[in-house]
Amino acid sequence: MAIKIPQYIIREAPTEQSFVRRYWLLITLLVLIPISFVGGLMMGNGLLSDWVGSANSLQNLNQQLENENQQLLSRNSLLDTEAKVKQQAILELQESYNTLLVQNSELQSEVNFFQNLLVSNNNAKGLRIFDIDWTQINPGQYILTLTLAQKLQKAQPIEGDLKLIVKGQLQTGEQTAAKEVVVNEKFAFKYYQMIRQTFNFEEGFYPLEVLVELTTDEKKPRSLSQTYQWLEIAENH
């Protein structure tokens, strides 16, 4: 009887992978996700802090610029006010200067008047017509100024009647006729007197000459008359 030799088959036992090897990807993801989240959160907080800091810096800069702008506006307003005040002051000074010039001219005219009055007084013997002048106010309207005087030494009050006769021509259409405008006044003075009379000539009247007649009311009446050419009166002044 033959002896059977047992036959054995040697097989390699299957090796089982460890848990870590089997699930390393999952474990890696589970580890990386929190780390990434924490890192992202920390980075986000850093970026947020930087953004907040930048925003605060920009806000502070904006506030500073607004303050500087307000200061500039206030300064410009002050400079504008100063310019207006200076301009008004210059205008007022100019007006005051012009007023002083006019006053100086008037004072000079008065000084000249009194100087001429004193100079002409040396040859004066009594009542006289010292000066005559006219000024046009409006078309056809004139102011005639007559200055009467007498000898200043031992002068006594004097009074009388004054007659002003303006002779001229009145043109109506193609016709021209002679016309007189007569004004009666009173005078009374000791050294001198200025008499102003307004004339309102009708349209078409052209004055040519002025006749001045003076008559005193003294015990011994005295009359004085003198004729002046209208245009020569203006030329002499």
Side-chain angles (χ1 to χ4, degrees):
M1 176 176 188
I3 299 172
K4 293 182 178 181
I5 299 173
Q7 295 180 354
Y8 297 96
I9 298 174
I10 300 173
R11 297 180 179 178
E12 185 178 358
T15 58
E16 295 184 0
Q17 295 181 347
S18 65
F19 180 81
V20 175
R21 287 185 177 182
R22 292 175 60 185
Y23 300 102
W24 67 269
L25 181 60
L26 180 61
I27 295 173
T28 302
L29 291 175
L30 291 176
V31 173
L32 290 178
I33 288 174
I35 294 175
S36 299
F37 176 77
V38 173
L41 184 62
M42 294 179 63
M43 184 178 294
N45 289 334
L47 292 175
L48 181 62
S49 299
D50 293 341
W51 182 84
V52 171
S54 299
N56 292 332
S57 300
L58 290 175
Q59 187 175 5
N60 293 333
L61 180 60
N62 184 46
Q63 185 65 37
Q64 182 179 357
L65 291 176
E66 286 184 359
N67 294 335
E68 292 179 356
N69 186 41
Q70 290 296 329
Q71 292 177 359
L72 290 175
L73 290 176
S74 300
R75 184 177 180 183
N76 289 337
S77 177
L78 180 61
L79 291 175
D80 186 53
T81 303
E82 290 180 355
K84 291 180 179 179
V85 171
K86 289 180 180 179
Q87 185 177 6
Q88 182 177 355
I90 291 174
L91 292 176
E92 291 180 355
L93 288 174
Q94 225 169 14
E95 185 176 354
S96 300
Y97 177 72
N98 293 333
T99 302
L100 288 175
L101 288 179
V102 173
Q103 292 177 350
N104 183 62
S105 178
E106 292 176 351
L107 290 174
Q108 187 62 42
S109 298
E110 292 183 4
V111 170
N112 293 336
F113 169 78
F114 287 111
Q115 286 180 344
N116 294 333
L117 183 63
L118 293 174
V119 170
S120 63
N121 181 68
N122 296 330
N123 299 324
K125 295 182 179 180
L127 178 64
R128 70 189 188 278
I129 301 171
F130 177 73
D131 189 31
I132 185 172
D133 187 21
W134 59 260
T135 304
Q136 183 174 7
I137 306 301
N138 293 305
Q141 185 178 31
Y142 298 83
I143 295 179
L144 186 67
T145 303
L146 184 69
T147 304
L148 306 179
Q150 66 172 337
K151 191 174 181 64
L152 301 181
Q153 288 83 357
K154 300 179 181 180
Q156 297 295 325
I158 186 173
E159 60 184 29
D161 297 321
L162 164 66
K163 179 181 287 189
L164 295 172
I165 305 173
V166 180
K167 300 180 180 181
Q169 292 182 344
L170 179 62
Q171 185 173 358
T172 306
E174 296 180 356
Q175 297 181 355
T176 302
K179 184 177 179 60
E180 294 182 354
V181 179
V182 181
V183 175
N184 294 306
E185 287 282 350
K186 292 283 188 180
F187 67 86
F189 64 93
K190 184 175 182 180
Y191 299 110
Y192 72 94
Q193 182 181 3
M194 287 186 178
I195 300 175
R196 292 181 174 86
Q197 178 63 47
T198 301
F199 287 90
N200 294 299
F201 300 136
E202 59 184 297
E203 185 177 357
F205 179 77
Y206 299 94
L208 299 177
E209 61 181 24
V210 181
L211 174 60
V212 181
E213 293 182 352
L214 301 174
T215 303
T216 62
D217 295 335
E218 298 177 350
K219 292 182 180 180
K220 295 180 180 181
R222 182 189 173 194
S223 62
L224 173 67
S225 65
Q226 191 166 345
T227 301
Y228 300 90
Q229 298 300 314
W230 186 263
L231 294 180
E232 290 182 359
I233 294 175
E235 293 174 356
N236 294 333
H237 292 79

